[in-house]
Amino acid sequence: MVAQLEYVNRVKTQTENEVLTFTFDQLLLQRGGRLAPVTLAYETWGELNATGDNAILVAHALTGSSHAHDVEDPENPKAGWWNPLIGPGKYFDTARYFVICANIIGGCYGSTGPSSKNPLTDRPYGMRFPVITIRDMVRAQYMLIKHLGVRRLAMVAGGSIGGQQALEWAVAYPDLVEKVAVIAASAAVTAQAIAFNEVARQSIMADAAWQCGDYLPNQGPATGLSIARMLAMITYQSEESMEQRFARKQAQREPVTTPTFSPDLGGRFDVENYLYYQGDQLARRFDANSYLYISRAMDLYDVSEGYPSLEDALERIQSQMLFVGISSDFLFPATHVRWLADKVQAVGGDARYVEVNSPHGHDAFLKEWDKLTAALRQFSL
Amino acid sequence: MVAQLEYVNRVKTQTENEVLTFTFDQLLLQRGGRLAPVTLAYETWGELNATGDNAILVAHALTGSSHAHDVEDPENPKAGWWNPLIGPGKYFDTARYFVICANIIGGCYGSTGPSSKNPLTDRPYGMRFPVITIRDMVRAQYMLIKHLGVRRLAMVAGGSIGGQQALEWAVAYPDLVEKVAVIAASAAVTAQAIAFNEVARQSIMADAAWQCGDYLPNQGPATGLSIARMLAMITYQSEESMEQRFARKQAQREPVTTPTFSPDLGGRFDVENYLYYQGDQLARRFDANSYLYISRAMDLYDVSEGYPSLEDALERIQSQMLFVGISSDFLFPATHVRWLADKVQAVGGDARYVEVNSPHGHDAFLKEWDKLTAALRQFSL
């Protein structure tokens, strides 16, 4: 992995949103093959200090992007996916830290992914994109932080697949990371989580518009991707939160078209209308093949892969570790997050576990701002 | 509702499996419209006594049939869906009781459903089949038991949608039922259950082979129905049981073709192979439109519908009620089953609650034979 010398010197505070890119020549992949070249789209906030050790990397989840923070609309939780946590005086304090977020490889927000042009064919990769893993994503991020002049990361943090990346950072680059916050993520996902992901993927691939992955831009499998998202949204919430919000209410708002343009069968429940809306929104903004590859990376991730045992992997960790579980999360059960924290402690690591008590399920890491900040503050920055 | 006079006198013990049918002229439906004529496919075991009060009705779940018991293979749990509970000396003792099971309307195992011929067009109903409810299913069963000469049911029992039917029997025909066992069912399903069902239905309707419901026999949306079944199988189990059985094991058995004939992406987990198999099996044996209508009846069911309040509905109950919740059921959470038992008690009903402690999730009502028998035995027959 050799970085191209298109070094971008970015140490000034941004006043407007700007997505930058960094391209390097190749990445050899954990499961074989390589990706070449590799572009990462990224954003930064705050300034890197002279010693290059005040950088924080935040890692996004499945359908996220580099836009964790919005400098033009910093108080709006919807303008950047971790907006309430990032900014001057916030937990990820951009007055003191240089915060970096990059779109993961496999993504569709500027980084190399299945919708990127395959240089060998000059057409989008589609399903000729190689299988990528969380470790591959992290190794690409490593190239980026070196490129940015970061000598040591003050922290890596993320939730869900972002949490898997944070954990992988601690294991893959133990001497480069001071602190790591793993939120709503565990050593490896459950059989149930794999099962839900596979149903979502089959839904995408069942859509005739998928064309074995060779759909044209904006002509992708919108129906299949919408259905996949409907399912995913259930797994991101909880029985309790859905009951609080929807229960058995009939649709309250204007009816949204269903993914299949089907008529309602005996009325429409509000929860259905909500899911159609969420499905439609994702289908408009996200690439279906990226969904396949990234959700698969989530399934495949096992922090122990490539080491003789889980203990061997965890013994590598030198960072201070914070594990945050969410009480109602059924995609990454809190018991699994706590179990991992205990494992790290058991091999002599510096790990603490905090549980966010929330009815919002997995999604709490993108919703429970106060509780999340409180959990993170147990881990001083 | 007038029964046709094709009365079948069946009071002798069967020695071979036989599915009978009963047809009556019409059923006016709860949500409007009518079904005419209506055929029920049914099986019986044991003999009806002279006073017509030793009959037991068992009600099947979503993809079930009248074949609750197999007289030719009585010890095989797979030969009839409640085989271990039915037979001479078993809980539903066919030496003493006349046990009846009928395919529900909307089904595809001989009763009138979407795949039946619409007499107005001489072609299958498809999506011209009317919306049916649990109450409609029960009212059709009422016609059958009258036809069979039953004066009073000693018991009605069922799990899941079968449990909804049992509950509805207690409310709709309070003076006709001595005892009712409601297993893994509640007053109404949760928003989460509706959401899972709707994802399954959208998967079916997304399949081009669905043809707006007008597919030919054996040319239906096998891909969509397989995906729907994959999802449903997750909701019938539990995180714990899937972890015990599959964890993150790679596929152990011969690979099953995926619903979309897609290649594997980075290997195949055993849980995936299992789900492909289950999906394929259902697609071979079940009608996709029946799946749409019956799952919708499950969503729509609310025991209080048509009454001023839930209490008004439950006050009608005169039967002895047994509610059985399953500790790990997340489709019909045990807390909801217990809550309903408490409600029945609160309005003066005779209700008891038993919890089956099992990791098998919702499916425990088709698996945990000893625990289920023990739970039912608290309710003497």
Side-chain angles (χ1 to χ4, degrees), chain A residues 198 260 265 272 276 296, chain B residues 198 202 248 265 276 296:
Chain A
E198 181 59 8
T260 59
L265 204 56
E272 295 177 310
Y276 303 146
R296 194 53 168 176
Chain B
E198 181 58 9
Q202 289 292 324
R248 296 176 57 80
L265 203 54
Y276 303 147
R296 195 53 168 176

Side-chain angles (χ1 to χ4, degrees), chain A residues 134-168:
Chain A
I134 300 292
R135 187 164 300 166
D136 297 328
M137 295 173 188
V138 165
R139 291 175 68 231
Q141 290 161 356
Y142 168 84
M143 296 298 285
L144 173 66
I145 68 137
K146 286 288 148 194
H147 160 76
L148 291 173
V150 174
R151 288 184 49 248
R152 188 170 158 86
L153 286 162
M155 189 164 173
V156 180
S160 190
I161 293 175
Q164 293 181 318
Q165 291 163 58
L167 175 62
E168 185 57 27

Side-chain angles (χ1 to χ4, degrees), chain B residues 306-327:
Chain B
Y307 302 103
S309 70
L310 176 65
E311 286 70 21
D312 284 290
L314 301 182
E315 273 173 2
R316 295 172 52 86
I317 296 176
Q318 297 173 28
S319 315
Q320 293 173 49
M321 305 292 293
L322 173 67
F323 292 91
V324 181
I326 297 159
S327 57

Side-chain angles (χ1 to χ4, degrees), chain A residues 32 60 88 99 140 153 155 166 170 204-206 231 251 279 347:
Chain A
H60 69 76
V99 178
L153 286 162
M155 189 164 173
I204 290 170
M205 296 187 287
L231 173 55
V347 297

Side-chain angles (χ1 to χ4, degrees), chain B residues 149-169:
Chain B
V150 174
R151 288 184 51 249
R152 188 170 158 84
L153 285 162
M155 189 164 173
V156 179
S160 192
I161 293 176
Q164 293 181 319
Q165 292 165 54
L167 176 62
E168 185 57 28
W169 261 100

Side-chain angles (χ1 to χ4, degrees), chain A residues 188-191 195 198 201-202 205-206 227 234 239 243 247-248 259-260 262 265-267 272 275-276 296 299-301, chain B residues 188-191 195 198 201-202 205-206 227 234 243 247-248 259-260 262 265-267 272 275-276 296 299-301:
Chain A
V189 297
T190 62
E198 181 59 8
R201 285 187 294 263
Q202 290 291 325
M205 296 187 287
I227 295 172
I234 306 173
E239 191 261 310
E243 211 56 23
R248 297 176 55 82
T260 59
S262 55
L265 204 56
E272 295 177 310
L275 292 175
Y276 303 146
R296 194 53 168 176
D299 294 351
L300 294 176
Y301 185 62
Chain B
V189 297
T190 63
E198 181 58 9
R201 285 186 295 263
Q202 289 292 324
M205 296 187 288
I227 295 172
I234 307 173
E243 212 56 22
R248 296 176 57 80
T260 60
S262 55
L265 203 54
E272 296 176 310
L275 292 175
Y276 303 147
R296 195 53 168 176
D299 294 351
L300 294 175
Y301 185 61

Side-chain angles (χ1 to χ4, degrees), chain A residues 31 127 131 188-192 194-196 198-199 201-203 205-206 223 227 230-231 234 238-239 242-243 246-248 258-260 262 265-269 271-272 275-276 292-293 296 299-302 330 333 336, chain B residues 31 127 131 188-192 194-196 198-199 201-203 205-206 223 227 230-231 234 238-239 242-243 246-248 258-260 262 265-269 271-272 275-276 292-293 296 299-302 330 333 336:
Chain A
R31 297 269 171 148
M127 297 306 284
V131 171
V189 297
T190 62
Q192 192 188 60
I194 294 169
F196 280 128
E198 181 59 8
V199 173
R201 285 187 294 263
Q202 290 291 325
S203 296
M205 296 187 287
T223 297
I227 295 172
M230 287 174 64
L231 173 55
I234 306 173
S238 73
E239 191 261 310
M242 293 186 90
E243 211 56 23
F246 306 109
R248 297 176 55 82
T258 76
T260 59
S262 55
L265 204 56
R268 175 179 293 201
F269 291 99
V271 65
E272 295 177 310
L275 292 175
Y276 303 146
L292 301 179
Y293 280 91
R296 194 53 168 176
D299 294 351
L300 294 176
Y301 185 62
D302 179 339
F330 75 100
H336 294 221
Chain B
R31 297 270 171 146
M127 297 306 284
V131 171
V189 297
T190 63
Q192 191 188 61
I194 295 169
F196 280 129
E198 181 58 9
V199 172
R201 285 186 295 263
Q202 289 292 324
S203 296
M205 296 187 288
T223 297
I227 295 172
M230 286 174 64
L231 174 55
I234 307 173
S238 73
E239 190 260 309
M242 293 184 90
E243 212 56 22
F246 306 109
R248 296 176 57 80
T258 76
T260 60
S262 55
L265 203 54
R268 174 178 294 201
F269 290 99
V271 66
E272 296 176 310
L275 292 175
Y276 303 147
L292 300 179
Y293 279 91
R296 195 53 168 176
D299 294 351
L300 294 175
Y301 185 61
D302 180 339
F330 75 100
H336 293 221

